[in-house]
């Protein structure tokens, strides 16, 4: 609940917000700028490379890599919605963002983050069908089915974003327009509201909790069946290959769901903004940087495709 009851603040229609990103003097700001710039460039190059390699190499035109290409697109998208503005503000004396710009940034960021949660579920289901029911795989994961699964993920992400944005940006905000965060997100915005935010908080915790718990259960059930199936295999080499492939996805899932749960699915999220900033940097920048490395370094097909792509471009 917003603490507006303890002070008298005039309710005015805010046109701009000030993003109180990170504390510290000029040296700290310069260090953060250099750190974020390196991480962002690596994330851009890594995810762009994954998209190009999967698109150009016909051997990677399979459901798993179709989903992986969409994952790279989402990582590329939501980090680019946030960090060009962060980098600009770290070197600027003013850190303003318009009300419309704040709502737009939140909408696209929330849509892509939620879509990624659903897409990770789809990737777990793809692994489940490939390992536990290989004879039905060509039918179960037909290209039209894959397209529908990805489209459904985007629709789910968009619906969640619309609901969250509607409940948040319809609130009246106080004359204080300083957002204690480096991006426009629900928890810091609720602290500026001049109205009872109980319903908005319940909506956030309810939707995020439902999405996180629901998608996590799908992943756990899928990988439970996958683990049992792999352990029943007699071939040690095949077992190792499948564990390696699934391990990449489980690593990505653990990193993503772990940080998102800390940020959104527990009540302390709204009260602990400093912790929220660190967690937000991790899942909006570090994870998009790590995902291409996780899926390429442990994936023989991707590494082989990179080797084949190198000589092709050298020859041209």
């Amino acid at each position: 609940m917003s603490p507006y009851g303890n002070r008298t603040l005039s309710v005015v229609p805010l046109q701009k917000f000030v993003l109180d990103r990170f504390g510290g003097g000029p040296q700290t700001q310069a260090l953060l700028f250099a750190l974020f710039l390196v991480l962002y460039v690596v994330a851009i190059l890594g995810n762009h490379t994954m998209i190009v390699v999967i698109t150009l190499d016909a051997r990677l035109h399979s459901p798993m890599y179709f989903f992986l290409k969409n994952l790279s697109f989402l990582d590329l998208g939501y980090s680019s919605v946030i960090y060009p503005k962060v980098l600009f503000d770290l070197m600027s004396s003013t850190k303003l963002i318009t009300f419309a710009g704040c709502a737009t940034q939140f909408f696209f960021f929330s849509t892509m983050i939620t879509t990624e949660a659903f897409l990770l579920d789809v990737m777990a289901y793809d692994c489940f069908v490939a390992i536990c029911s290989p004879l039905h795989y060509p039918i179960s994961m037909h290209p039209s089915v894959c397209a529908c699964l990805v489209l459904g993920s985007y629709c789910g992400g968009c619906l969640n974003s619309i609901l969250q944005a509607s409940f948040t940006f319809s609130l009246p905000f106080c004359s204080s327009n300083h957002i204690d965060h480096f991006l426009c997100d629900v928890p810091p915005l609720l602290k500026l509201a001049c109205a009872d935010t109980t319903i908005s908080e319940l909506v956030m915790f309810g939707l995020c909790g439902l999405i996180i718990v629901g998608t996590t259960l799908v992943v756990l059930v899928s990988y439970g069946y996958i683990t049992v199936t792999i352990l029943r295999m007699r071939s040690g080499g095949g077992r190792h290959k499948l564990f390696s492939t699934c391990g990449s996805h489980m690593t990505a899932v653990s990193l993503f769901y772990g940080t998102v749960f800390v940020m959104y699915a527990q009540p302390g999220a709204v009260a602990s903004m400093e912790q929220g900033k660190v967690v937000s940097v991790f899942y909006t920048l570090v994870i998009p940087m790590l995902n291409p490395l996780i899926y390429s370094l442990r994936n023989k097909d991707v590494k082989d495709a990179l080797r084949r792509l190198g000589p092709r471009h050298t020859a041209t």
Side-chain angles (χ1 to χ4, degrees):
M1 184 180 295
S2 179
Y4 65 92
N6 297 329
R7 48 196 172 134
T8 303
L9 289 170
S10 59
V11 180
V12 295
L14 295 178
Q15 299 299 318
K16 293 181 180 180
F17 290 109
V18 178
L19 293 165
D20 294 333
R21 299 188 185 278
F22 303 96
Q27 290 184 337
T28 302
Q29 299 288 305
L31 180 62
L32 289 172
F33 177 85
L35 176 62
F36 289 164
L37 180 62
V38 170
L39 293 176
Y40 180 60
V41 169
V42 173
I44 291 292
L45 292 176
N47 286 290
H48 181 72
T49 300
M50 291 295 290
I51 293 172
V52 170
V53 168
I54 293 171
T55 301
L56 295 180
D57 197 305
R59 302 182 191 185
L60 300 182
H61 291 177
S62 66
M64 183 178 81
Y65 294 106
F66 172 67
F67 298 138
L68 185 54
K69 182 166 72 171
N70 278 275
L71 181 68
S72 292
F73 172 76
L74 290 169
D75 285 342
L76 195 63
Y78 69 73
S79 59
S80 295
V81 166
I82 298 168
Y83 283 93
K85 174 67 174 168
V86 171
L87 292 170
F88 176 81
D89 285 352
L90 283 171
M91 292 291 101
S92 172
S93 57
T94 59
K95 309 178 190 304
L96 296 175
I97 186 169
T98 64
F99 184 90
C102 186
T104 301
Q105 183 191 67
F106 171 76
F107 175 80
F108 285 106
F109 156 71
S110 177
T111 296
M112 292 182 179
I113 281 285
T114 311
T115 301
E116 181 159 329
F118 290 129
L119 185 63
L120 289 171
D121 251 20
V122 171
M123 294 173 73
Y125 174 71
D126 175 62
C127 288
F128 164 74
V129 177
I131 295 173
C132 300
S133 187
L135 296 179
H136 295 92
Y137 188 81
I139 299 174
S140 299
M141 302 308 294
H142 187 273
S144 60
V145 176
C146 295
C148 288
L149 289 171
V150 171
L151 180 61
S153 298
Y154 278 95
C155 289
C158 187
L159 177 61
N160 172 67
S161 184
I162 289 172
L163 290 172
Q164 298 264 19
S166 298
F167 277 93
T168 301
F169 289 93
S170 62
L171 289 170
F173 292 100
C174 300
S175 56
S176 173
N177 64 340
H178 286 254
I179 299 176
D180 189 16
H181 213 304
F182 64 89
L183 60 92
C184 292
D185 203 0
V186 175
L189 283 168
L190 292 182
K191 296 177 75 68
L192 303 182
C194 290
D196 190 345
T197 61
T198 302
I199 295 178
S200 296
E201 289 184 29
L202 289 174
V203 169
M204 183 186 74
F205 295 138
L207 285 174
C208 292
L210 181 65
I211 291 169
I212 293 172
V213 172
T215 52
T216 302
L217 283 176
V218 172
V219 170
L220 291 176
V221 171
S222 298
Y223 274 95
Y225 279 104
I226 288 170
T227 302
V228 171
T229 302
I230 292 176
L231 291 176
R232 287 176 178 173
M233 291 181 174
R234 296 181 180 180
S235 171
R239 190 184 303 151
H240 175 75
K241 180 180 179 181
L242 290 175
F243 267 127
S244 178
T245 302
C246 296
S248 299
H249 184 249
M250 280 304 297
T251 302
V253 167
S254 300
L255 289 172
F256 181 82
Y257 284 131
T259 52
V260 171
F261 180 84
V262 169
M263 186 63 195
Y264 298 106
Q266 41 97 22
V270 175
S272 181
M273 287 298 106
E274 291 306 315
Q275 178 196 26
K277 290 179 186 180
V278 177
V279 174
S280 295
V281 168
F282 193 81
Y283 76 82
T284 60
L285 185 59
V286 177
I287 288 179
M289 179 206 66
L290 289 176
N291 276 343
L293 299 176
I294 291 170
Y295 282 103
S296 62
L297 293 179
R298 301 188 62 177
N299 191 306
K300 184 177 182 298
D301 294 335
V302 173
K303 288 189 286 188
D304 290 343
L306 286 169
R307 294 191 192 99
R308 289 192 296 270
L309 191 63
R312 185 190 304 179
H313 281 270
T314 302
T316 55

